[in-house]
Amino acid sequence: YHSINYDAFGKTSHEKPLAEIFKEKGNACYVKKDYSEALSYYTKAIDACPSNSSYYGNRAATLMMLGRFREALEDSQQAVRLDTLFMKGHLREGKCHLSLGNAMAANRCFQKVLELEPTNAQALLERKNAAAVLEYEKMAEFGFEKRDFRKVVYCMDRALDFAVACHRFRILKAECLALLGRYPDAQSVVSDILRMDSTNADALYVRGLCLYYEDCIDKAVQFFIQALRMAPDHKKAHSACRNAKALKAKKEEGNSAFKARDYEAAYKIYTDALTIDPNNIKTNAKVYCNRATAGAKLSKLAQAIEDCCSAIKLDESYIKAYLRRAQCYMDMEQYEEAVRDYDKVYHTENTKEHKQLLKHAQLALKKSKRKDYYKVLGVSKDATEDEIKKAYRKRALMHHPDRHSGSSAEVRKEEEQKFKEVGEAFTVLSDPKKKSRYDCGHELDNSDFDANNIFKTFFGGPGNFSFETTSGPGNYYFQFS
């Protein structure tokens, strides 16, 4: 074995400089796109001769191909420190800055190249790209202030075409996706960042924000706390953490009041909860629905329906809000609206319970389109036989044509119609079989019905009573013979 002697520049006594050998091997690997092996050889070249700017430039190019732009930036900066006229070094430094989202620093690098070579086509193009990124940043900042989050996402997507490794742009995009309710997309973006940098406070904050907006408040608080550990002055994480805790506390306080049947207190607490964070769509949808439930208990049915509409506007998939609104519509006898909501619920979840609710509403709608015999007689649906008879007696006498013989033709016609309806109602409700069929929504055939015969039968036949005037026109009493 023969030992090899190296001089101070990495040369052997019989061969070309060793650093050059490593560089050539690195170049060969780079051409074959074997960037990991190329990186190894360029590192060996630098170790053998750390004062050569081209070695740092080559390693920077390799690191860029591997997507390691921060390390590439350091090598590019070292290359131009060693050789201020190294144009490729300045170009690579600018491209690294641009890839990392620092467009102003990138612009300075490209300007330096143009000072050395005013017609350099690549520098002119990259300077244009840097200017575009700066413009997208300004547009995004303005869009965020105006809460135009879709515009921000658009601008960040365009900026990321050039700033491919900029975590800041990706996090801003993810935050706006969360604010738009696109939680899976937002989480996908920040998860990629956290795999590379688990201590990134901004990414931890956005991850918590997604959980918070999905009503996973306890998990969200954990991420906010973790973000604050990494960056104690993180204002957004601090604010979100405070809101999350306050919203959870108010919601639980309202639920406790409701369970204690203190519906007034529950209604007020839910109202307070809705002011904490308007951006929390899912939790606010639940709070609106909870307030609707409390409102229904307080007979505030119109307000309850409005709250359900607000909940559905925030979360169109919120089945509980549709069910609550449908019940309120039923209570207000707005059956068509109730059928519409129950139908949507049934076709969404298709359960036996929801099918039964839909059938019940459809039956109520069908009944509502017939004459309501109970209303005609002025009795409740659970009225007794005696109550039905008393109601018929009162209404039949009130609307009997003889009582209104001195009225105008229009009034006589109206009262005669009411008299017939009272008789028809009594015919059905006084017959147990007909009443049962009517209550079940079946159609009844009353074509052979005669109101006068019913009246005569009830009051004992003709000649048993008469209408006579008292004092003043239109005042009558009936007298039995």
Side-chain angles (χ1 to χ4, degrees):
Y1 295 100
H2 302 281
S3 62
I4 300 176
N5 298 317
Y6 301 96
D7 63 16
F9 300 98
K11 295 180 182 179
T12 66
S13 55
H14 305 292
E15 300 174 2
K16 70 172 73 172
L18 188 60
E20 281 295 305
I21 295 172
F22 289 137
K23 185 196 79 169
E24 289 172 4
K25 288 185 177 182
N27 291 347
C29 292
Y30 189 94
V31 170
K32 292 187 295 183
K33 298 184 179 180
D34 186 356
Y35 300 119
S36 295
E37 195 67 18
L39 178 64
S40 176
Y41 281 119
Y42 289 140
T43 300
K44 289 177 181 179
I46 289 171
D47 290 342
C49 185
S51 60
N52 189 308
S53 62
S54 68
Y55 298 164
Y56 284 100
N58 287 2
R59 190 168 73 172
T62 305
L63 287 166
M64 290 170 70
M65 297 305 295
L66 290 169
R68 293 159 62 175
F69 291 97
R70 292 194 183 280
E71 296 168 75
L73 177 61
E74 292 176 6
D75 274 359
S76 298
Q77 290 172 331
Q78 179 61 18
V80 297
R81 276 195 292 267
L82 292 169
D83 181 0
T84 57
L85 302 179
F86 186 22
M87 281 196 299
K88 282 187 177 180
H90 289 296
L91 272 171
R92 285 175 185 143
E93 182 186 358
K95 291 183 75 172
C96 287
H97 277 307
L98 188 58
S99 296
L100 292 167
N102 193 345
M104 292 186 70
N107 189 63
R108 287 194 294 268
C109 295
F110 301 137
Q111 190 60 40
K112 180 68 176 177
V113 174
L114 292 171
E115 288 172 7
L116 296 171
E117 187 183 319
T119 59
N120 188 292
Q122 191 173 3
L124 289 168
L125 175 62
E126 294 295 353
R127 188 174 66 172
K128 185 179 178 181
N129 292 340
V133 170
L134 284 171
E135 185 61 26
Y136 285 128
E137 278 194 84
K138 289 178 183 177
M139 291 168 62
E141 184 179 355
F142 181 77
F144 196 91
E145 287 177 2
K146 297 295 182 182
R147 300 184 64 78
D148 187 354
F149 302 124
R150 286 183 176 82
K151 182 68 170 289
V152 179
V153 171
Y154 171 81
C155 290
M156 289 299 93
D157 278 337
R158 300 290 76 75
L160 284 163
D161 289 339
F162 306 108
V164 294
C166 182
H167 287 179
R168 180 165 52 88
F169 291 172
R170 291 185 187 280
I171 289 168
L172 179 56
K173 174 187 173 180
E175 183 178 1
C176 290
L177 287 170
L179 291 167
L180 289 169
R182 294 169 58 183
Y183 309 120
D185 293 337
Q187 289 193 47
S188 176
V189 173
V190 293
S191 293
D192 288 342
I193 294 172
L194 289 170
R195 274 193 289 272
M196 292 181 280
D197 180 7
S198 62
T199 63
N200 189 304
D202 291 327
L204 289 168
Y205 157 70
V206 175
R207 181 74 178 90
L209 197 66
C210 291
L211 290 166
Y212 171 51
Y213 286 158
E214 290 183 292
D215 201 35
C216 300
I217 293 180
D218 290 334
K219 288 184 179 179
V221 168
Q222 292 176 12
F223 275 93
F224 294 145
I225 291 173
Q226 195 174 346
L228 289 167
R229 285 199 193 103
M230 299 300 110
D233 296 328
H234 200 295
K235 291 181 180 180
K236 288 184 176 180
H238 180 75
S239 176
C241 191
R242 184 182 64 248
N243 285 345
K245 289 178 178 179
L247 192 52
K248 181 187 177 186
K250 276 291 180 185
K251 187 181 171 187
E252 290 177 350
E253 185 184 355
N255 293 347
S256 296
F258 186 89
K259 288 176 183 177
R261 300 188 179 183
D262 189 350
Y263 304 124
E264 287 283 2
Y267 193 92
K268 183 180 183 305
I269 294 165
Y270 290 139
T271 301
D272 292 341
L274 288 168
T275 66
I276 293 172
D277 186 359
N279 291 323
N280 194 318
I281 293 171
K282 285 203 172 182
T283 303
N284 286 342
K286 291 181 180 180
V287 175
Y288 270 118
C289 192
N290 287 356
R291 190 171 74 170
T293 306
K297 291 289 186 181
L298 294 167
S299 299
K300 298 179 179 180
L301 294 176
Q303 294 95 317
I305 288 172
E306 286 182 14
D307 278 348
C308 290
C309 292
S310 296
I312 291 166
K313 186 177 180 180
L314 292 175
D315 184 359
E316 292 184 356
S317 65
Y318 192 18
I319 293 299
K320 191 175 179 180
Y322 286 102
L323 290 171
R324 170 54 54 196
R325 186 171 70 177
Q327 183 58 57
C328 290
Y329 282 138
M330 291 292 289
D331 293 340
M332 294 184 73
E333 299 184 359
Q334 297 179 18
Y335 300 119
E336 288 188 4
E337 290 84 353
V339 167
R340 183 192 63 214
D341 279 350
Y342 281 133
D343 184 68
K344 179 174 179 62
V345 170
Y346 174 62
H347 283 94
T348 301
E349 295 199 340
N350 196 17
T351 67
K352 288 183 179 179
E353 180 186 357
H354 296 150
K355 185 177 182 180
Q356 191 61 37
L357 288 169
L358 175 59
K359 283 187 173 182
H360 179 66
Q362 288 171 332
L363 179 59
L365 175 61
K366 183 179 178 181
K367 288 180 179 180
S368 72
K369 292 184 176 180
R370 317 171 300 177
K371 289 179 184 176
D372 188 339
Y373 292 144
Y374 292 101
K375 280 188 177 180
V376 170
L377 292 182
V379 297
S380 65
K381 289 180 172 57
D382 57 355
T384 64
E385 185 178 346
D386 285 343
E387 288 171 336
I388 290 170
K389 286 181 178 179
K390 287 178 182 178
Y392 171 71
R393 174 188 289 272
K394 177 181 176 182
R395 303 263 171 155
L397 293 172
M398 183 187 302
H399 301 297
H400 195 283
D402 290 352
R403 185 172 187 175
H404 302 280
S405 58
S407 302
S408 66
E410 185 179 349
V411 170
R412 288 200 308 273
K413 185 177 180 180
E414 182 181 343
E415 292 299 325
E416 184 180 355
Q417 179 61 33
K418 289 180 179 179
F419 177 71
K420 288 179 179 179
E421 288 179 354
V422 167
E424 184 180 349
F426 180 69
T427 300
V428 172
L429 299 183
S430 62
D431 184 321
K433 288 185 179 179
K434 287 184 178 181
K435 182 176 184 295
S436 177
R437 287 177 57 78
Y438 174 77
D439 288 343
C440 290
H442 296 298
E443 296 295 335
L444 300 175
D445 181 13
N446 291 319
S447 57
D448 59 348
F449 160 76
D450 188 322
N452 288 316
N453 287 339
I454 295 295
F455 186 87
K456 291 173 183 177
T457 301
F458 187 87
F459 287 101
N464 289 339
F465 67 90
S466 64
F467 288 95
E468 295 183 5
T469 58
T470 56
S471 58
N475 294 322
Y476 297 89
Y477 69 93
F478 69 91
Q479 175 179 323
F480 288 95
S481 302

